[in-house]
């Protein structure tokens, strides 16, 4: 039987069944026990963990075992820039988790900008396009407040001298047939795209190479990125390194409805970009945010709305209303019909615009300090 959904780094389509995905990918659910264990170290919980936006993992218990033995970890994630695919609020989820982990565990952050990746996968892109987009994307990362002294940006084409040697060691242990089945490639994929996964693997152990000792690593990512590491984790012990731990987040659904992934390239009105103006945010949410409300005011008052399918409620729950009591009140009022769909949207618009105002200010200032983040080694 054909699956109703598809999740690979290069395609997310259909209604994603996260329960099935956990089994298919062979990852573990982040359960209450693990959450408690994390909270013992952090003192509080980031909303993304509290609300289980980060819902699955690999080897987090091992990471904490090592940490408790005094073996500190570093954090790694990345972003492949592409022209016409600006950063949206869904992209921020793993990066916000990274920043929180950096603060709580005083950890180094290694951020990869593989400026060759989308160049290799999208026929229409030039390297100049992806390099320019990379600059823009760095501003969004910096705006989240990473520690200048402990955060290192790696840009594949600029840091190729550091990466290539290690990428070769990984690539030697991965066959074309593995890559084909994991990413849905065919004989006609270009040979650069086949090699790429080994470039993405390198940063999971590059700090260990640079420091001459093995350092544990944790990688927060959207679950579509897992296949890169499912393949390369097996290779790492073979070349003398730890397997990295991984934390997976669900996708932020598009404005138009639950089930899929907010995507920057397909429907611009279904995504909220970090550079959107307050009026754009308002227009998009009012016009496109899928509502769990009833068709008429009378019906809504009588029967109430459904927050489970209401995009505005879901965004508040996943990212924008950290206060449990306030969220519970919104949920109750919406279910009972006291809170109307337009009122719920207004709450979300306010929250997002407050967040974006600050983000955009920091994003402007980031232009002056970008150089401090680029790894000089
Ligand atoms: N492939 C990722 C993308 O398409 C970019 C990336 C590079 C990445 N290294 C990573 C993502 C590590 C997660 C973790 O955006």
């Amino acid at each position: 039987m054909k699956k109703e959904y598809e999740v690979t780094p290069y395609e997310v389509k259909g209604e994603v069944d996260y329960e099935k995905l956990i089994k298919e990918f062979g990852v573990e659910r982040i359960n209450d026990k693990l959450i408690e264990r994390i909270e013992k170290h952090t003192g509080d919980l980031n909303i993304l963990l509290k609300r289980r936006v980060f819902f699955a993992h690999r080897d987090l218990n091992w990471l904490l075992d090592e940490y408790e033995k005094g073996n500190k970890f570093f954090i790694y994630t990345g972003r492949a820039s592409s022209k016409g695919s600006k950063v949206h609020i869904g992209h921020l989820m793993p990066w916000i988790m990274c920043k929180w982990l950096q603060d709580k565990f005083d950890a180094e952050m290694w951020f990869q900008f593989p400026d060759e990746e989308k160049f290799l996968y999208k026929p229409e892109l030039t390297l100049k396009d992806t390099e320019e987009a990379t600059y823009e994307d760095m501003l969004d990362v910096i705006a989240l407040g990473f520690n200048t002294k402990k955060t290192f940006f790696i840009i594949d084409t600029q840091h190729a001298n550091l990466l290539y040697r290690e990428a070769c060691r990984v690539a030697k242990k991965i066959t074309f047939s593995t890559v084909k089945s994991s990413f849905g490639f065919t004989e006609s994929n270009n040979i650069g795209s086949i090699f790429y996964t080994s470039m993405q693997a390198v940063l999971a152990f590059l700090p260990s190479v640079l420091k001459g000792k093995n350092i544990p690593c944790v990688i927060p990512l959207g679950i579509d990125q897992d296949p890169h590491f499912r393949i390369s984790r097996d290779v790492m012990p073979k070349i003398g390194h730890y397997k990295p731990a991984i934390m997976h987040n669900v996708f932020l659904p598009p404005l138009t409805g639950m089930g899929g992934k907010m995507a920057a390239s397909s429907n611009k009105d279904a995504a909220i970009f970090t550079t959107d103006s307050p009026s754009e945010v308002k227009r998009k949410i009012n016009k496109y945010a899928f509502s769990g409300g009833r068709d008429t005011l009378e019906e809504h008052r009588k029967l109430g709305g459904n927050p489970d399918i209401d995009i505005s409620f879901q965004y508040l729950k996943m990212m924008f209303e950290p206060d449990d009591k306030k969220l519970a009140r919104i949920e109750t009022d919406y279910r009972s019909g006291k809170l109307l769909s337009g009122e719920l949207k207004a709450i979300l618009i306010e929250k997002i615009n407050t967040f974006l105002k600050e983000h955009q200010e920091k994003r402007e200032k980031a232009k002056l300090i970008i150089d401090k983040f680029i790894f000089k080694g």
Side-chain angles (χ1 to χ4, degrees), residues 131-186:
E131 283 157 12
E132 283 168 9
T134 294
Y135 172 81
E136 291 297 319
D137 293 352
M138 285 177 176
L139 303 178
D140 282 300
V141 174
I142 294 171
L144 294 176
F146 286 98
N147 181 338
T148 336
K149 296 205 168 60
K150 293 199 164 207
T151 304
F152 308 97
F153 288 0
I154 297 281
I155 305 151
D156 283 14
T157 63
Q158 288 181 34
H159 292 96
N161 56 338
L162 276 180
L163 303 178
Y164 187 63
R165 189 170 180 272
E166 301 307 324
C168 286
R169 301 175 75 206
V170 177
K172 190 173 178 177
K173 303 238 182 284
I174 300 176
T175 65
F176 181 33
S177 81
T178 299
V179 168
K180 266 207 289 196
S181 60
S182 305
F183 300 132
F185 288 177
T186 66

Side-chain angles (χ1 to χ4, degrees), residues 76-80 112 114 117-118 196 200 219-221 225 228-229:
Y76 164 38
T77 199
R79 154 82 177 160
Q112 181 175 36
E117 183 181 2
K118 293 289 158 68
Y196 171 73
Q200 184 154 326
I219 314 176
L221 44 69
Q225 289 295 316
H228 284 299
F229 297 103

Side-chain angles (χ1 to χ4, degrees), residues 316-334:
L316 287 171
K317 180 173 164 189
M318 292 172 80
M319 285 186 87
F320 294 104
E321 183 47 86
D323 186 323
D324 291 338
K325 286 207 188 89
K326 283 190 188 156
L327 188 78
R329 160 65 56 86
I330 293 171
E331 181 168 1
T332 318
D333 288 353
Y334 197 54

Side-chain angles (χ1 to χ4, degrees), residues 22 46 211 245 308 344:
I22 283 182
N46 182 280
K211 290 181 184 125
D308 303 332
L344 178 57

Side-chain angles (χ1 to χ4, degrees), residues 72-320:
K72 286 180 73 172
F73 56 83
F74 71 93
I75 309 158
Y76 164 38
T77 199
R79 154 82 177 160
S81 308
S82 117
K83 192 182 178 182
S85 167
K86 293 186 292 182
V87 172
H88 59 60
I89 54 174
H91 289 128
L92 301 182
M93 298 195 305
W95 310 348
I96 290 170
M97 180 50 63
C98 289
K99 149 77 177 152
W100 184 74
L101 290 171
Q102 175 172 70
D103 289 349
K104 295 293 176 179
F105 292 94
D106 187 33
E108 281 189 1
M109 173 77 221
W110 289 75
F111 206 111
Q112 181 175 36
F113 293 92
D115 51 346
E116 84 283 39
E117 183 181 2
K118 293 289 158 68
F119 166 74
L120 290 167
Y121 288 94
K122 296 192 177 178
E124 70 282 9
L125 286 182
T126 66
L127 274 173
K128 192 160 172 289
D129 290 337
T130 58
E131 283 157 12
E132 283 168 9
T134 294
Y135 172 81
E136 291 297 319
D137 293 352
M138 285 177 176
L139 303 178
D140 282 300
V141 174
I142 294 171
L144 294 176
F146 286 98
N147 181 338
T148 336
K149 296 205 168 60
K150 293 199 164 207
T151 304
F152 308 97
F153 288 0
I154 297 281
I155 305 151
D156 283 14
T157 63
Q158 288 181 34
H159 292 96
N161 56 338
L162 276 180
L163 303 178
Y164 187 63
R165 189 170 180 272
E166 301 307 324
C168 286
R169 301 175 75 206
V170 177
K172 190 173 178 177
K173 303 238 182 284
I174 300 176
T175 65
F176 181 33
S177 81
T178 299
V179 168
K180 266 207 289 196
S181 60
S182 305
F183 300 132
F185 288 177
T186 66
E187 297 287 327
S188 51
N189 267 89
N190 71 56
I191 58 176
S193 61
I194 297 159
F195 182 76
Y196 171 73
T197 193
S198 49
M199 293 294 279
Q200 184 154 326
V202 172
L203 261 80
F205 61 87
L206 184 68
S208 302
V209 173
L210 295 173
K211 290 181 184 125
K213 61 165 189 205
N214 277 343
I215 310 169
C217 168
V218 61
I219 314 176
L221 44 69
I223 191 152
D224 56 328
Q225 289 295 316
D226 185 76
H228 284 299
F229 297 103
R230 194 161 72 230
I231 298 175
S232 58
R233 268 167 44 96
D234 290 340
V235 174
M236 293 185 202
K238 296 184 192 157
I239 59 173
H241 298 293
Y242 291 136
K243 292 182 178 187
I246 310 217
M247 298 170 70
H248 310 82
N249 64 266
V250 300
F251 307 120
L252 190 71
L255 280 172
T256 43
M258 298 293 288
K261 178 187 177 195
M262 183 177 275
S265 36
S266 46
N267 177 3
K268 300 233 167 330
D269 283 326
I272 291 171
F273 300 102
T274 57
T275 49
D276 279 351
S277 68
S279 60
E280 267 169 313
V281 170
K282 189 172 175 188
R283 178 186 70 86
K284 285 184 191 176
I285 291 174
N286 279 334
K287 189 155 176 206
Y288 298 102
F290 186 84
S291 166
R294 303 282 171 172
D295 290 343
T296 66
L297 181 69
E298 294 76 56
E299 257 187 84
H300 190 88
R301 289 280 188 228
K302 200 164 101 208
L303 302 167
N306 180 1
D308 303 332
I309 56 164
D310 190 288
I311 286 294
S312 302
F313 180 78
Q314 292 300 320
Y315 284 12
L316 287 171
K317 180 173 164 189
M318 292 172 80
M319 285 186 87
F320 294 104

